[in-house]
Amino acid sequence: MANNKGKAFEQKFKLDFQQSFPEGTIDRIYDVSSGYKTISNIADFIAYNYPNMFYLECKSHLGNTFPLANLTQYDKLKDKVGIKGVRVGVILWFIDHDTVCYVPLNSITQMKTDGKKSINIKMLSDNSYKIIQIPSEKKRVFLDSNYSVLAELQEGD
């Protein structure tokens, strides 16, 4: 994956999230990817739409599987799970499949417990883990996505 496509996806996600939740707010956490390996953020975005706060990490990936090892923020995100009204997860764009999904951190924790090493695109249809496909429409490169489905998340999602 070219770095510029991933960064552009983050910008597109922020725009789509704002359009999905016009009464909400979303902030991009300062990106420290410029070589400071000892510094890492909890997530790419912190957002709020009454009554939920979101900690969201954006990932884009070519191919069918996203390696869980690439989720370097896992331990920091895990600290936010279980707080009432807080939703923690990964916005994952499977580039080759024109698919965007939300993976709750609890699902990733269960995958790790089950010995899984990656999130496979097939997991969207086999219902083995809670993964929410984001309604999206393909444009030239990116997708226009409607994140309003995240308003229906329950505690633990």
Side-chain angles (χ1 to χ4, degrees), residues 82-123:
I83 299 171
K84 187 174 181 168
V86 174
R87 309 297 177 244
V88 185
V90 176
I91 302 295
L92 178 57
W93 176 30
F94 284 103
I95 298 169
D96 293 337
H97 297 276
D98 295 325
T99 299
V100 177
C101 58
Y102 170 80
V103 186
L105 203 71
N106 277 342
S107 291
I108 293 171
T109 299
Q110 187 60 51
M111 289 175 201
K112 287 176 170 261
T113 299
D114 294 345
K116 303 290 184 195
K117 302 290 184 202
S118 61
I119 300 170
N120 191 299
I121 187 75
K122 292 178 184 176
M123 291 177 173

Side-chain angles (χ1 to χ4, degrees), residues 3 6-15 18 25-33 40-47 54 56-59 73:
N3 191 29
K7 295 298 174 196
F9 172 64
E10 290 174 3
Q11 292 172 353
K12 180 68 170 119
F13 164 73
K14 182 177 181 181
L15 178 66
Q18 289 170 323
T25 184
I26 184 167
D27 292 306
R28 173 68 168 99
I29 305 303
Y30 178 71
D31 190 0
V32 292
S33 64
S40 67
N41 290 323
I42 189 167
D44 288 326
F45 294 93
I46 296 176
F54 301 90
L56 301 167
E57 180 64 22
C58 283
K59 297 292 185 185
Q73 301 82 351

Side-chain angles (χ1 to χ4, degrees), residues 135-147:
S136 302
E137 181 181 337
K138 173 75 172 174
K139 297 298 179 183
R140 289 181 81 191
V141 175
F142 296 101
L143 299 123
D144 283 344
S145 299
N146 182 348
Y147 292 95

